[in-house]
Amino acid sequence: GINKYKHSFFLNIKFMRLYKKSLIPISGVIYGQTIYWLTIISSLIVLLGTIISFLERNSPLPASYLLKSVIDGKSKKDIWANSLIGEPPDIFFFLNNLSHGESITMIGIAVGVSSVIPATLFSSYFLWKSRNPVFALIALIASVLTGIGIFA
């Protein structure tokens, strides 16, 4: 008898909690979910790039050299001066070497750091839809300024 319906009772309680109206505004949920998923994705990209960095043989920026130099206590100036590229890498170095582990790692870091831009943008839309035009405009301005700040 009663054991037959025991699991369905607990499933109904779980689903009721999922569909229960949240106290958190939808704009906050959207912001949080966007940050959450882009951080997960960026972490996986960074992990992939790090693994590739340690496995690849012909990298223009060998991970083994960087790791050994840091452990040996060399200065930043010495590390970059004695590297294969001879200077600290800039954005164009990573863009020109997209298939190498270090570049993949940097892409992952960039996705994680810049995840605030789409999160704020999406949040501003839902703020507008929930009749909060002042906060929607502030979120939109913050998103645009953050995007400009990345390239400045």
Side-chain angles (χ1 to χ4, degrees):
I2 194 149
N3 285 336
K4 180 178 173 184
Y5 299 105
K6 183 178 177 184
H7 294 292
S8 66
F9 173 75
F10 289 113
L11 283 175
N12 284 338
I13 289 174
K14 185 175 182 178
F15 285 121
M16 284 187 335
R17 273 191 247 141
L18 284 175
Y19 293 111
K20 192 176 180 182
K21 185 165 173 72
S22 174
L23 296 175
I24 302 169
I26 188 68
S27 58
V29 173
I30 296 298
Y31 179 86
Q33 287 294 311
T34 305
I35 294 287
Y36 175 82
W37 286 108
L38 287 176
T39 302
I40 297 291
I41 291 167
S42 72
S43 300
L44 294 173
I45 295 170
V46 167
L47 180 63
L48 176 68
T50 304
I51 291 169
I52 291 171
S53 291
F54 281 103
L55 295 178
E56 65 187 348
R57 300 249 185 252
N58 299 322
S59 172
L61 199 57
S64 58
Y65 165 74
L66 293 175
L67 193 58
K68 184 176 179 342
S69 298
V70 169
I71 290 172
D72 290 346
K74 293 183 179 178
S75 69
K76 287 189 299 186
K77 187 176 180 181
D78 289 340
I79 291 173
W80 294 120
N82 296 324
S83 71
L84 292 176
I85 59 175
E87 61 185 1
D90 59 5
I91 186 70
F92 298 110
F93 169 81
F94 294 112
L95 290 174
N96 289 329
N97 296 290
L98 281 176
S99 63
H100 293 286
E102 287 296 321
S103 296
I104 295 170
T105 302
M106 282 298 169
I107 290 169
I109 292 170
V111 168
V113 170
S114 63
S115 65
V116 72
I117 296 169
T120 310
L121 192 63
F122 298 154
S123 181
S124 71
Y125 171 76
F126 284 95
L127 282 165
W128 184 266
K129 294 284 284 182
S130 63
R131 294 181 173 82
N132 287 311
V134 173
F135 290 119
L137 184 61
I138 291 170
L140 185 62
I141 291 169
S143 179
V144 169
L145 289 176
T146 306
I148 291 169
I150 287 177
F151 296 107

